Amino acid sequence: EVHLVESGGGLVQPGGSLRLSCAASGFTFSDYAMAWVRQAPGKELEWISTIENNGAVRSYADSVKGRFTTSRDNAKNTLYLQLNNLKTEDTAMYFCVKAPTAKSTGGDFSRRGQGTQVTVSS
């Protein structure tokens, strides 16, 4: 059974930074791409980033490009998201997602954890 547990969220001022983690279990982590998505109150899920199974290729939404960095440690079965220069519009629940393949989610965000809340406010 796929089990994903996000952590590292919190309250931060605009311009601040956070590092989110996602501990994965129940599957062979190194065989699958992973992604981050977020959902702000009253809004749809928004794709943030995808990292291929070996970490060689990463992609980002325009809204976070240059500010957020996705990485993974396959030895530790852990996915990370470094959030820098945070803005109030980054406030959302952040979820990690297990992709169905080694390369892409294909838009399938169904296999995700419970999320960690990020609130950006002064």
Side-chain angles (χ1 to χ4, degrees):
E1 179 183 356
V2 173
H3 195 50
L4 302 168
V5 180
E6 301 92 338
S7 62
L11 174 63
V12 63
Q13 292 185 339
S17 297
L18 284 173
R19 189 193 197 203
L20 308 184
S21 298
C22 170
S25 61
F27 63 102
T28 304
F29 184 72
S30 58
D31 283 350
Y32 295 93
M34 296 293 293
W36 289 97
V37 298
R38 68 185 181 186
Q39 188 167 30
K43 295 190 176 181
E44 299 284 324
L45 274 176
E46 177 189 11
W47 171 77
I48 296 299
S49 177
T50 300
I51 183 168
E52 293 189 354
N53 66 317
N54 60 8
V57 179
R58 313 172 200 197
S59 55
Y60 298 92
D62 288 343
S63 59
V64 305
K65 198 172 296 182
R67 300 188 298 120
F68 292 7
T69 303
T70 296
S71 61
R72 64 191 295 161
D73 185 335
N74 285 347
K76 295 182 178 179
N77 290 350
T78 303
L79 176 72
Y80 302 99
L81 183 67
Q82 178 68 41
L83 297 75
N84 294 332
N85 191 20
L86 281 160
K87 305 176 181 181
T88 55
E89 53 263 42
D90 294 318
T91 295
M93 186 73 78
Y94 285 70
F95 302 89
C96 64
V97 175
K98 174 191 172 294
T101 73
K103 301 298 183 184
S104 171
T105 65
D108 179 359
F109 305 140
S110 61
R111 298 171 188 83
R112 61 181 185 266
Q114 294 300 305
T116 187
Q117 177 68 37
V118 172
T119 301
V120 185
S121 175
S122 55

